Amino acid sequence: LAAAQAPLACFIENRLDLRGLARLPLPGETARLFSSSSDSNKVILAHLAPQVLGDLDHGFFLAVDDREYGVEATLVEAEGRGAMTWFWSANPVGKIRIYVDDRKDPALEMPFDAFLQGRAFAVGAPFSSKTSLGYNLDLSICHSNYCRVTVVAPSRQALAELFYEVAWNAIPEPASLPPFAPAKISGERDVLEALGQRILEAGRALAHPAGSDRRAEVAILTIEPVQGGWVLDKTGAAALGGIAFEAPSKRALAWLWVEAWWDGEERPSVSCPLHLLAGVSDAVEDTQSYPATVAGATVAIRWFMPFSAGGRLRLTNKGTDPCRLTARLQMEDVKADEFPLRFHCVQKTFRNLRTDTPNVLTLLESSGTGYVVGSVLYVDSRSPSWWGEGDHMIWLDDRSAPVWRGTGTEDYFGFAWCSQGLFHHPFRGQTRSEGTKERRMACMHRYHILDRLPFHTWVRYQMEAWGLAAGAMDLDFGLMWYQ
């Protein structure tokens, strides 16, 4: 895309190139989440709500001011050059005001729910979406030196129940940031619609079209029970730009375990079930997302996986029957030092966690440089009430406090109100939800493509796991990152 003609679409397109996640974050590139999570350093209005909702992660703001036109509560305030890359709310109320660069007058003012539905810019899916009761807007609001977001309502009580999350990214030079102006974004409507269609269509492709010429390679193998087979075993510099696995049935796919080693490492960087790498449970339910797709008995993975000295990928059959498998690989020639970060995906399993006690689970803690890019959660809850009150807490470089702290498990995954509705979106989804009042099984995924999570020296990814009633639950996580 031409940046001069469609600057916002060009900015988004650049961030959609998954190869960029294998490059080092720029100095000063950071991330932060602004949310209504309970915090003693914020102004609290939650006590004015008619009832406490969940664990009280509503009605907290950076500031609250009485104006002649109502009450103005500050959700976001950030200095520097950056972009707000994801907006979410379970119950948008009042009018949203967005201030950028010129701090005196809002660049946009409109009903909060209409803003989340993309009406200010005349854009629809996938940029604006309501997924299982959660309002999401994945349209970057850029600024050169300052941004502030407020919500204006008639009274403090009207804001007391508000749940919200806003992802913000510091974007240093030399990235080109389109200045925020609703009219200019509306002027890009046709280009944004075409880009949105490409995003949706990516879920049906083997590999993303970005990059130099790629060559297709095919491996056909039969893997006996408890045995393994090599899908990739190469020396030198190259990249796996996409891979599709086709098996006789979903049941056969459910038993496959993936391991990958880059550049002669002793321990694999990828070690997880194939279904978690694809963002689904062991039922291998169909789904379409930007980096992974399941359609029948075919799984396509589009994460970019470079290596400089060699790459090896092995499948192990943990089932009881032989599995005849076809793997279609898209290989790309790269320079040895062009992409220094390596793709990782690991499974973490937790059994018999009490649902009436907060459990803080550490899924990743590591020193290094890279990006957290996605997570998959499969839960088997044996409790008569909601299991997902826990917040996601993501620490990036700063060990004093998490820079991301959410308002509930379902909120992080883009839905709301404990919904059991299934949905698919390029960056998030709930692919499984079933059970009875006493037992619920669900699977969901979340990918950080536009709202990137860079770290320069250290990263910790945690999740609180607890619910609203006594019981027990099992959790399986798949966490994906580049390092």
Side-chain angles (χ1 to χ4, degrees):
L1 293 175
Q5 297 175 344
L8 179 59
C10 183
F11 174 79
I12 293 172
E13 183 183 51
N14 287 337
R15 292 177 77 81
L16 288 168
D17 183 356
L18 297 181
R19 298 180 307 156
L21 297 169
R23 294 191 171 100
L24 293 173
L26 295 172
E29 187 178 352
T30 60
R32 183 179 176 186
L33 183 73
F34 295 88
S35 76
S36 57
S37 62
S38 58
D39 187 334
S40 60
N41 295 317
K42 298 177 183 176
V43 178
I44 179 173
L45 300 182
H47 64 290
L48 301 176
Q51 61 178 333
V52 173
L53 302 174
D55 58 346
L56 204 70
D57 277 329
H58 55 86
F60 283 80
F61 303 94
L62 298 181
V64 177
D65 298 293
D66 293 311
R67 310 290 193 192
E68 64 275 10
Y69 46 78
V71 178
E72 187 169 14
T74 300
L75 284 60
V76 176
E77 188 167 29
E79 301 274 357
R81 196 167 180 271
M84 291 170 282
T85 49
W86 173 61
F87 292 78
W88 168 90
S89 180
N91 53 348
V93 298
K95 289 185 176 182
I96 188 173
R97 287 182 159 191
I98 297 181
Y99 302 79
V100 295
D101 302 331
D102 179 358
R103 306 180 183 210
K104 296 180 180 180
D105 300 313
L108 177 144
E109 180 177 2
M110 68 182 304
F112 194 7
D113 60 346
F115 169 76
L116 292 174
Q117 293 172 52
R119 295 182 188 173
F121 322 109
V123 297
F127 302 112
S128 63
S129 59
K130 188 177 181 182
T131 50
S132 294
L133 306 181
Y135 292 82
N136 295 268
L137 183 70
D138 297 277
L139 194 71
S140 301
I141 306 299
C142 303
H143 56 90
S144 298
N145 52 61
Y146 175 80
C147 73
R148 180 172 172 241
V149 177
T150 68
V151 169
V152 177
S155 66
R156 292 176 177 240
Q157 287 80 3
L159 295 165
E161 295 184 352
L162 179 61
F163 287 88
Y164 67 88
E165 297 189 14
V166 182
W168 178 82
N169 286 86
I171 301 174
E173 299 286 356
S176 176
L177 288 179
F180 174 62
K184 290 184 178 180
I185 294 175
S186 297
E188 295 187 43
R189 178 181 178 181
D190 291 344
V191 179
L192 286 168
E193 282 187 351
L195 179 59
Q197 188 61 35
R198 284 168 51 194
I199 295 172
L200 295 171
E201 289 175 353
R204 297 188 287 270
L206 168 59
H208 290 300
S212 60
D213 291 339
R214 287 176 172 162
R215 61 185 183 276
E217 298 184 7
V218 178
I220 300 175
L221 58 161
T222 298
I223 308 176
E224 298 294 330
V226 201
Q227 299 296 315
W230 293 101
V231 176
L232 175 71
D233 189 359
K234 290 186 177 295
T235 59
L240 182 58
I243 184 169
F245 301 100
E246 184 177 353
S249 65
K250 287 180 177 290
R251 183 176 179 274
L253 289 170
W255 292 106
L256 294 176
W257 188 278
V258 184
E259 293 175 293
W261 295 258
W262 315 123
D263 304 324
E265 60 189 353
E266 294 184 2
R267 299 180 60 183
S269 290
V270 177
S271 181
C272 66
L274 175 60
H275 63 82
L276 279 187
L277 184 60
V280 297
S281 76
D282 56 4
V284 197
E285 51 273 15
D286 284 4
T287 190
Q288 287 189 358
S289 71
Y290 193 68
T293 297
V294 180
T298 298
V299 171
I301 306 296
R302 290 179 293 275
W303 292 111
F304 183 71
M305 305 181 194
F307 46 89
S308 58
R312 308 174 77 204
L313 191 148
R314 178 181 173 88
L315 290 178
T316 299
N317 180 5
K318 296 196 173 186
T320 57
D321 299 315
C323 177
R324 181 172 173 82
L325 183 84
T326 299
R328 304 181 188 278
L329 297 80
Q330 292 286 329
M331 301 303 302
E332 180 176 335
D333 293 327
V334 299
K335 297 178 181 178
D337 58 351
E338 187 176 2
F339 298 101
L341 304 185
R342 299 291 172 260
F343 179 77
H344 296 68
C345 183
V346 298
Q347 180 191 39
K348 293 280 188 175
T349 299
F350 303 89
R351 295 288 180 256
N352 292 316
L353 298 173
R354 288 183 57 182
T355 54
D356 57 348
T357 301
N359 304 277
V360 178
L361 310 178
T362 299
L363 309 181
L364 170 66
E365 184 163 7
S366 181
S367 297
T369 301
Y371 294 94
V372 176
V373 296
S375 70
V376 182
L377 168 61
Y378 175 53
V379 59
D380 182 347
S381 174
R382 301 169 295 282
S383 170
S385 190
W386 175 241
W387 56 269
E389 283 303 301
D391 303 335
H392 281 72
M393 300 177 291
I394 303 173
W395 312 62
L396 304 172
D397 301 322
D398 183 359
R399 296 174 183 261
S400 64
V403 294
W404 264 60
R405 177 149 196 168
T407 58
T409 303
E410 76 270 44
D411 308 343
Y412 172 80
F413 288 99
F415 58 112
W417 304 121
C418 319
S419 173
Q420 298 189 51
L422 302 179
F423 68 94
H424 306 278
H425 184 274
F427 307 135
R428 62 191 69 90
Q430 181 165 234
T431 62
R432 183 177 180 180
S433 182
E434 60 186 59
T436 64
K437 185 178 179 180
E438 299 298 324
R439 184 180 184 184
R440 180 183 175 190
M441 291 170 285
C443 187
M444 55 209 71
H445 57 250
R446 172 75 152 87
Y447 301 122
H448 295 279
I449 307 297
L450 300 181
D451 54 344
R452 294 183 179 183
L453 297 175
F455 56 95
H456 298 267
T457 59
W458 173 80
V459 60
R460 177 193 290 157
Y461 185 110
Q462 293 180 318
M463 177 188 169
E464 293 177 321
W466 64 294
L468 295 174
M473 61 180 169
D474 301 334
L475 299 178
D476 286 302
F477 286 95
L479 191 66
M480 302 158 202
W481 75 101
Y482 284 83
Q483 186 172 344

